[in-house]
Amino acid sequence: MVNELVLDRVSVRFSLPGATVAAVNDVSLRIRPGECVALVGESGCGKTVLASALLGFLPGNAETAGRATLSSPSGAVDLLAASDHELATTIRSRRIGLIPQSPASHLTPVRTARAQLDEALRVHRSGQTADQLAGRAGLTPDDIDRYPHELSGGMAQRVANALALAGDPWLLIADEPTTGLDRHLVDGLIEEFRRMVDDHRAVLLITHDLAAAQRIADRVAVMYAGRIVELGPTRKVLDTPHHPYARGLRNALPDRDFTPIPGQPPLLTDLPPGCSFAPRCERAAPLCAERPFLTDDEHAAACHFPC
């Protein structure tokens, strides 16, 4: 059995007084070592909720459905059914590493980066040293002797990368890692992720930065209102998108038409039964009252009238 993550109709609901938030809806996706998959879409579409579900970081009012099977030579586990103890002792940082949003805010402010790396290595009983781990993330020994407030944004990002690698996971989930970084820092981060992929790891890049996704990802999954509406090779999805929403995202880029998508996403407490994008789509027709599904094609779109 090889390393892979297979999501099969994963859904996440949040129960609120008088309402249910359908944050993730029937998401199916496969990720293998040696590839970067970018999960893109507007803020609030469910990208971070999906990552939180895989690592068991959902709040108590969340309910999940479907399966998220993480396989390895030692066996397989359904991440959605696993206990918090199992996730903490065998999954988090060991098989799946997380690079969180705003990494500097996740570092302990009163301890040096070296101290935090040393602790992570002790927990994972790794044979590496902090200097070796830092070197894999592009840091020098002097860099990690600093406190978080002494680190630049790019250096804090690299410390987060190093912490995510402490348990030698094959899969890294990077949640909006380019937000707030200068262009040269984004360039360096993309190079680091490609090195990880070349090292036969996998990266799930959660982002709204299509330019970054285009540079690093092998495949792109476009998410809208909790559903994947298009999936395929990066060049095909971004150059010749089939779903009107994916085309709208591309056309909103400054180097394209710079035209925003009209309208607003639907309320996740009141999703339409058919295509969630239909109220904003100029191609909508009566058939769109029925929900479209992704096919098994290499480049697929959940749309009755693809572009």
Side-chain angles (χ1 to χ4, degrees):
M1 188 179 295
V2 297
N3 288 322
E4 69 173 1
L5 174 64
V6 179
L7 310 186
D8 183 15
R9 302 193 67 178
V10 171
S11 296
V12 181
R13 304 280 188 272
F14 297 107
S15 297
L16 301 176
T20 299
V21 178
V24 176
N25 300 283
D26 291 336
V27 167
S28 295
L29 186 65
R30 183 186 300 267
I31 302 173
R32 297 186 177 96
E35 71 169 346
C36 174
V37 177
L39 186 60
V40 306
E42 295 168 293
S43 297
C45 71
K47 305 186 300 294
T48 296
V49 171
L50 178 60
S52 297
L54 298 179
L55 291 169
F57 290 148
L58 294 174
N61 66 333
E63 297 180 2
T64 61
R67 292 180 61 86
T69 304
L70 184 70
S71 300
S72 73
S74 60
V77 59
D78 180 2
L79 299 176
L80 303 185
S83 67
D84 186 69
H85 176 76
E86 183 177 9
L87 291 171
T89 57
T90 67
I91 303 299
R92 297 176 193 144
S93 297
R94 292 168 172 82
R95 294 164 71 179
I96 301 178
L98 174 65
I99 300 174
Q101 292 189 48
S102 305
S105 65
H106 287 76
L107 299 175
T108 303
V110 296
R111 302 178 66 200
T112 64
R114 179 183 296 279
Q116 296 178 62
L117 291 173
D118 281 337
E119 180 180 21
L121 291 170
R122 283 196 303 271
V123 168
H124 296 299
R125 299 177 182 177
S126 172
Q128 301 178 82
T129 66
D131 288 345
Q132 290 171 330
L133 188 59
R136 292 173 63 187
L139 293 163
T140 68
D142 288 342
D143 292 335
I144 61 174
D145 285 326
R146 303 181 185 185
Y147 288 89
H149 73 274
E150 298 175 311
L151 300 173
S152 67
M155 291 171 67
Q157 181 69 61
R158 290 185 176 93
V159 171
N161 293 357
L163 287 169
L165 291 170
D168 201 31
W170 71 265
L171 172 60
L172 291 164
I173 298 177
D175 192 0
E176 299 287 2
T178 63
T179 300
L181 295 185
D182 294 336
R183 177 60 183 270
H184 76 281
L185 296 177
V186 173
D187 292 344
L189 183 61
I190 288 174
E191 290 177 3
E192 289 177 25
F193 284 161
R194 284 313 312 179
R195 283 196 294 269
M196 294 175 189
V197 171
D198 292 342
D199 193 33
H200 209 57
R201 303 179 192 275
V203 175
L204 176 59
L205 174 66
I206 297 173
T207 185
H208 62 269
D209 186 346
L210 295 187
Q214 188 169 26
R215 294 177 59 190
I216 184 177
D218 301 290
R219 290 188 295 141
V220 168
V222 181
M223 201 167 187
Y224 181 76
R227 294 171 179 160
I228 291 181
V229 297
E230 186 159 351
L231 175 65
T234 300
R235 182 175 296 277
K236 291 184 178 181
V237 171
L238 298 184
D239 287 352
T240 56
H242 292 342
H243 196 283
Y245 173 67
R247 175 160 293 195
L249 281 181
R250 185 200 63 174
N251 290 344
L253 293 174
D255 61 344
R256 298 281 184 167
D257 296 341
F258 206 33
T259 303
I261 301 173
Q264 297 294 326
L267 294 175
L268 296 180
T269 54
D270 188 25
L271 290 175
C275 176
S276 297
F277 188 65
R280 305 173 70 182
C281 182
E282 62 181 15
R283 305 168 70 91
L287 181 59
C288 299
E290 300 178 12
R291 182 180 166 188
F293 292 90
L294 286 174
T295 65
D296 292 330
D297 296 337
E298 180 191 37
H299 181 191
C303 182
H304 294 300
F305 305 100
C307 304

